[in-house]
Structures are given as structure tokens and as C-alpha cells.
Amino acid sequence: MIHVACISDFLSSNQDHIWYALSGLGAIGTLCVAFSALNTWRKEKEYDLVIENLAICNVAVQFIAALRYPASSTGEIKKEYQEEIDKRAIDDQKRKSAAEELFIYQSRRDRQQDLFENILKLREKNWAVYGETHDFYLFFNKIVEFDNEIRMAYIRYYHAILDREDYPEDVFKAIRKETRPIMYSKLSDDDPITKELTGWVEKLKKYRKKQ
């Protein structure tokens, strides 16, 4: 009974301290639960981003392939671009063909603008989450770089044809040799751009994982 009385006296005289201690333990427990929930949420969001990246990587490669597919029909040209060609009434066949190639490219690019905007958004998401040295960021950045290279190659070649008389033969041939392989794929396994993007897709497969 003496021990019980001592314990009772101790609890009575230190109840404030005990409640503070218990409250502190409760706060620590709440903090641990909150931290665990936040960590789980972050992992789930990162998992969702990985799935989004992998789901669109093949589509992004096809985006570049569609831009570089050899032009076979002026029927691809959007109405407003065809009207622009007709309005110019180009007599020289080489200049007309170069204009048609440029507008076929632009028509293809316009039809895939929504996809390209998604690619840009994914690139920025990956930069924010992983940084600029991560494979996902580097891949989508490469898609954006190729898109720009293809556009500039078309413009450069078109102006070389348009101002053909201003270029010496060797300079014109050098421009053609440099731009045409960027504008159009070889539709074979040894196409450099296709090989590089195929290599990227294989590299990104290592990020497949179960939740």
C-alpha cells in the first residue's frame, strides 16, 4: 500500500509534466504518420510520372518518324498552305517542289501540335522531379532538339533552292547533303536519327517497375 500511495502522490504532483510528455509523444507519433503518408504520396506521384513517361516515349519517337517520312503526296498539304503555293504561281518546278515539301512538313507538324505540347510538358515535369541529367529529361529534350533540327533543315533547304543562283555548286551540294538526311529518314536500320531514338527507347525500358 505504501508503494501505491507513493505512486499516487508522484502522479498527482507531476501530472502536468506527464501530460506534457504524453502530448509530446502524441505529436511525434502524428508527425511520423504524416511523414510516412507524405513519403508514400511522393512515391506514388513519381510512379505515375514514370508510367506517363514510358507510355509516351514510343509515341514521341513516332512523332519524329512522321515528320521525316518521305513526302509522297501533296494531298497532305493543308488547304491554307496549298492556297499559298497556288497564289505564288511558282513556274520553276524545283522551287515549287521545295515549297510543297516545306508545306507538307508544316502540315504534318501542325496536326501533331497537341502531342508536341505534351512532350514539352513532360520534359519540364522531368526536369522538376529528376533534374537535367536524368534519362527521362534527356530523352524528351532530344525529341525537342530533333524537332527543331528538322524544321531548320527544311527552311534552310527551301531557301537554298529559292536562292539557287546565289550559291556556288559545291556550297549548294553541301547544304543538300547536310539537310536532306535530317529532313527525311532512310526507312532502314542505318538511319542515324532512328537508331539514336531506338537506342533511347531501349535504355528507358530499365525504368519499368511494379508499384
Side-chain angles (χ1 to χ4, degrees):
M1 295 298 293
I2 296 175
H3 293 295
V4 172
C6 290
I7 293 172
S8 178
D9 290 341
F10 175 80
L11 293 175
S12 297
S13 60
N14 294 278
Q15 59 181 345
D16 290 341
H17 298 294
I18 293 172
W19 281 116
Y20 289 147
L22 291 175
S23 297
L25 290 173
I28 293 173
T30 301
L31 183 62
C32 290
V33 171
F35 180 80
S36 177
L38 178 61
N39 191 46
T40 299
W41 178 82
R42 285 177 175 172
K43 288 182 178 180
E44 288 176 349
K45 297 300 288 184
E46 186 172 330
Y47 174 80
D48 291 342
L49 181 57
V50 169
I51 295 301
E52 189 176 3
N53 286 329
L54 293 174
I56 203 172
C57 68
N58 284 315
V59 179
V61 170
Q62 289 303 313
F63 164 73
I64 296 299
L67 294 182
R68 299 180 65 234
Y69 193 82
S72 58
S73 172
T74 55
E76 289 191 68
I77 301 175
K78 293 172 66 175
K79 182 180 178 181
E80 57 265 37
Y81 296 148
Q82 186 60 57
E83 290 174 351
E84 180 65 24
I85 294 174
D86 295 340
K87 184 173 67 177
R88 294 180 186 183
I90 305 171
D91 293 329
D92 183 82
Q93 185 56 45
K94 288 184 178 180
R95 290 183 177 180
K96 184 177 181 180
S97 295
E100 289 173 344
E101 285 182 309
L102 178 61
F103 284 123
I104 287 173
Y105 155 76
Q106 191 58 55
S107 297
R108 291 173 174 176
R109 183 63 176 70
D110 289 353
R111 293 186 183 103
Q112 300 189 85
Q113 180 60 29
D114 289 345
L115 171 58
F116 183 70
E117 289 177 0
N118 285 335
I119 290 170
L120 285 177
K121 289 177 182 177
L122 263 181
R123 182 184 67 166
E124 300 315 308
K125 279 185 182 180
N126 282 285
W127 176 84
V129 174
Y130 299 118
E132 60 186 16
T133 60
H134 193 275
D135 288 338
F136 281 132
Y137 172 80
L138 293 173
F139 168 73
F140 288 112
N141 193 58
K142 177 57 67 175
I143 294 292
V144 174
E145 288 178 355
F146 277 142
D147 174 72
N148 186 60
E149 287 179 19
I150 294 165
R151 179 175 64 256
M152 296 308 298
Y154 268 98
I155 293 172
R156 188 182 178 198
Y157 180 73
Y158 172 72
H159 283 289
I161 291 289
L162 200 64
D163 303 320
R164 178 67 182 84
E165 62 275 7
D166 296 335
Y167 292 96
E169 184 65 22
D170 59 335
V171 174
F172 176 78
K173 285 183 177 179
I175 293 173
R176 191 179 193 282
K177 184 178 181 180
E178 182 180 347
T179 57
R180 300 297 282 185
I182 299 174
M183 294 163 59
Y184 296 118
S185 64
K186 296 179 181 180
L187 299 180
S188 62
D189 293 336
D190 63 343
D191 179 75
I193 293 177
T194 301
K195 285 176 67 175
E196 182 171 352
L197 291 179
T198 300
W200 269 110
V201 171
E202 289 300 314
K203 187 175 184 179
L204 295 178
K205 286 181 180 179
K206 68 183 179 183
Y207 292 99
R208 289 176 177 170
K209 57 184 179 181
K210 296 181 179 180
Q211 189 174 21

